[in-house]
Amino acid sequence: MKKLVILLLTLAAGQQGLAQGHYTGSSFNPNDYFAPHAGLIVPVWYGYANMDYHNAQGKKSDQLINPKPGNPTSLDITQNVKTHSFILMAIYGGKGKVLGANWGMMLIPTLNSPTAGIALDYYSQQTGSGRYHFKNKSIGFGDMYIQPVWLSWQQGNMQYAVNYGVWAPTGRYKPNDLDNGGHGYWSHNIRAALKYKPTPSINMSIAPTLEINHWQKDTDFKEGTHLTVDLGGSYVWNKRGDEVGLFGHYTKQISDDKGAGGGSFVADQMAGIGGFISYWVVPRKVGLMGRITQNFATENRFGGLAMQTGVNFLIPTDKH
């Protein structure tokens, strides 16, 4: 049975006025855009990230440029934000075929400490000059990801997939509040993926994701659409299925924000590169995973280093 890993959610938390969307690139390992074989997968993960604000020129900065009417030209900020996330996932691989494809579903509730996104929201809403500090240490539920459409077709050494998921605003959201745990709006993720296996042990994949956002609760703001391209490869070095791999992504905002709450802000972008390793403690039943990602080419948002570690539990529903 294929193993699935964490969807990175260390940046998935409440934002307003200067939001960044829900989906973060390099969130999956290269094989994980494709529906698993029949069974239930329960990953339990912890994530840590250390983020700094980068301005529209891509440089680390303690000044948040904010041209919104009524706000100062710039704010001096304490721009380093460390985040913690705890994630319990439920991944189901269905039996049989749907439209000739393997199929599955995914559910991801999240528990977050204040994230870089919340800090950016907080800074962007200030209306007076001076130095602003982000010190909230609370923890609470974030938004939930639900992926009801997950189809994968295989033809020779090629595999194709179509995914549709939605981010539900289950996390607490109140405009300009440090205790926010969610974005306050719905987002749709539409993804296509392609995988090529030149040998039985080597996998290479590419997966573009389009994220379309709704209007934010209790504000006059709608985050622009983002396009993310993920790509990577992995190598399985033994019959147990232990695996090592590299991945990368590029995310670009492709439409303007709307509304008085953020329509004048510069579009954001970010790229990243990272790697992972997985090891089966009990083959095909209990596995350990570690990941690390370094962001670069970051503009008008927070970016930095992210690390995750956790355990995957697999419960097969067939004998294969």
Side-chain angles (χ1 to χ4, degrees):
M1 177 182 293
K2 179 195 294 185
K3 49 191 175 294
L4 268 282
V5 299
I6 186 174
L7 174 64
L8 301 184
L9 297 170
T10 53
L11 290 181
Q15 300 160 347
Q16 173 208 354
L18 197 56
Q20 301 172 0
H22 277 95
Y23 180 67
T24 301
S26 294
S27 292
F28 289 98
N29 286 344
N31 290 325
D32 296 340
Y33 306 102
F34 306 90
H37 296 295
L40 179 65
I41 308 170
V42 182
V44 181
W45 284 85
Y46 163 75
Y48 168 81
N50 191 337
M51 300 288 167
D52 294 291
Y53 175 71
H54 294 70
N55 62 23
Q57 289 73 47
K59 298 179 180 180
K60 288 184 182 180
S61 176
D62 286 327
Q63 284 196 325
L64 175 65
I65 305 303
N66 187 347
K68 187 170 63 175
N71 279 10
T73 302
S74 65
L75 300 173
D76 290 328
I77 65 176
T78 302
Q79 49 100 345
N80 180 260
V81 177
K82 296 179 175 62
T83 76
H84 303 271
S85 296
F86 301 91
I87 302 171
L88 175 65
M89 301 170 63
I91 299 167
Y92 178 71
K95 295 182 179 181
K97 302 284 186 178
V98 174
L99 300 177
N102 291 331
W103 64 279
M105 295 181 289
M106 181 188 301
L107 179 68
I108 308 176
T110 64
L111 189 66
N112 296 324
S113 69
T115 69
I118 291 177
L120 190 57
D121 171 43
Y122 172 69
Y123 291 138
S124 69
Q125 294 303 308
Q126 304 309 312
T127 57
S129 60
R131 175 164 287 273
Y132 289 83
H133 300 267
F134 185 83
K135 296 181 178 180
N136 189 353
K137 301 298 181 182
S138 66
I139 189 167
F141 287 104
D143 292 344
M144 180 181 296
Y145 182 68
I146 306 165
Q147 186 169 289
V149 178
W150 195 1
L151 301 174
S152 300
W153 296 264
Q154 187 165 350
Q155 184 176 9
N157 59 358
M158 303 293 291
Q159 195 167 356
Y160 315 89
V162 175
N163 310 156
Y164 166 74
V166 60
W167 294 87
T170 54
R172 181 185 185 277
Y173 180 78
K174 184 179 180 181
N176 195 27
D177 196 323
L178 282 177
D179 290 327
N180 287 336
H183 286 67
Y185 58 83
W186 294 79
S187 295
H188 302 278
N189 280 187
I190 303 168
R191 178 182 299 112
L194 171 67
K195 180 168 70 174
Y196 173 60
K197 291 177 66 71
T199 74
S201 298
I202 297 176
N203 304 278
M204 297 184 291
S205 68
I206 184 169
T209 300
L210 186 69
E211 179 171 81
I212 303 171
N213 302 299
H214 285 232
W215 288 90
Q216 191 172 50
K217 177 184 176 182
D218 296 330
T219 69
D220 180 22
F221 175 71
K222 183 179 181 181
E223 168 68 13
T225 298
H226 285 80
L227 176 64
T228 299
V229 178
D230 291 287
L231 69 162
S234 66
Y235 175 71
V236 180
W237 74 79
N238 57 28
K239 294 182 179 180
R240 290 164 48 92
D242 299 328
E243 189 175 16
V244 64
L246 298 174
F247 50 79
H249 81 276
Y250 176 70
T251 298
K252 181 70 175 180
Q253 184 176 337
I254 60 174
S255 71
D256 292 338
D257 301 335
K258 295 182 179 180
S264 62
F265 285 115
V266 180
D268 61 83
Q269 71 169 36
M270 184 171 66
I273 189 169
F276 76 94
I277 186 169
S278 67
Y279 174 76
W280 290 102
V281 178
V282 180
R284 308 298 179 179
K285 292 184 179 180
V286 181
L288 301 178
M289 182 78 71
R291 306 176 90 246
I292 185 169
T293 308
Q294 176 63 56
N295 296 312
F296 60 94
T298 304
E299 296 181 6
N300 200 41
R301 63 187 294 165
F302 279 83
L305 181 70
M307 296 180 290
Q308 297 81 34
T309 184
V311 181
N312 295 329
F313 300 95
L314 276 67
I315 306 171
T317 57
D318 58 24
K319 298 180 180 180
H320 300 288

